[in-house]
Each structure stands twice: as C-alpha cells, then as structure tokens.
Amino acid sequence: AKLVTAYYSGRPYQYLDHLHRLQLDTATGIDLLGESKPIIPNPKSRFWSAPTLPWMGFGYNVSLTPLHTLTVYNAVANNGTMMKPYLVNAVQYAGGLDKENQPVILMNKICSDETLAELRTCLEGVCVKGTAKSAFKNSFYAVAGKTGTALVANGNRGYADHIYQS
C-alpha cells in the first residue's frame, strides 16, 4: 500500500496499466465454462475513493479469480514467463485424440530479473521463516508462497466489526 501510494497516487491509471499488462483485468480464457471476468475499479468508477488505490496494493477492492493470482505466481516461478493456464493436456474420445492443449506464452517477461529475485526472496521467506514456516518445515522441496488475511463483511453491518479471516 505504501509503494502504490508513493509511486501512483498522482497517476492511478499508470498502476492500472500494469494490472492490464499482466492481464489481470481480463478472463484467462481457460477452457472451463463460467469463468468470471475480474473486477478492477478505476478513478471514473463510483466505487473509487481516496483509499481505493492503497487498498488495491494489498488486494482489496479488486475481484480476481485464484487462477489469475496463480498465473502471476507461476510466472515468477518460471523466470518471468507468463503462460496461459490450462487444466488438461489432451482430451481423448474412443481412443482417438479429440483436443490437445499446447503451452501458450502470454508474456515473455513480466518484470526485470532484479524484481524477480526480490519477489522470490519474499515468497520463499514466507515459507522458510515467515507465517507459513510450520506448514513446510518438513518439506523435501524448496517452497515459496504467500499467506493472506481478508477483512470479512458481517451481513448488513458491513466491515464495522473488523472480522478477519487468515
């Protein structure tokens, strides 16, 4: 939130352009019925106010599918290359090939190598010595991840009760 405010408070559309470049404002196009389109407010929206931009910096005020988040995280793990997600390699019918999915590169590099290194350090730190360390303490593999906390609405009282889910 501090970084978004420091760098984009006077030019929120530049921040929104970054989200657009990462394709976080469009459906992933996965071969699955019912995928919803993300909702990202903009300054012309009636839902935009002074705290909107900083809140967007840590995931509030936007509605993305978990698949969108996973696509970006996978790009970090894949040296910055963002791939189109798909669920199955192939569909066969009566022994014959009906449909085959091939990997599709959406973006060759989502950010600089320096930024990728910083992201990896942060995400690995969460699982090695941070809030997720107990979940991965006996892991045979190097793990990187992100924990999160959500402010939960309480019926018609909204967010006034400050209920959090982690």
Side-chain angles (χ1 to χ4, degrees), residues 2 6 17 34 48 59 69 76 87 89 134 136 139 146 148 154 163:
K2 288 179 183 180
D17 285 345
W48 191 272
T69 305
V76 172
L87 296 175
N89 289 332
S134 63
F136 298 104
S139 178
K146 172 74 178 81
N154 187 11
I163 301 169

Side-chain angles (χ1 to χ4, degrees), residues 113-165:
D113 289 335
E114 294 79 18
T115 300
L116 280 172
E118 289 182 32
L119 285 168
R120 282 196 189 109
T121 298
C122 291
L123 295 171
E124 289 168 358
V126 169
C127 298
V128 173
K129 56 186 173 206
T131 53
K133 72 178 180 183
S134 63
F136 298 104
K137 69 179 178 181
N138 295 321
S139 178
F140 295 106
Y141 303 98
V143 180
K146 172 74 178 81
T147 57
T149 303
L151 182 60
V152 180
N154 187 11
N156 61 1
R157 291 184 46 81
Y159 300 95
D161 293 337
H162 301 285
I163 301 169
Y164 293 92
Q165 182 171 351

Side-chain angles (χ1 to χ4, degrees), residues 90-99:
V91 177
Q92 294 182 350
Y93 181 76
L97 186 63
D98 185 46
K99 179 181 179 181

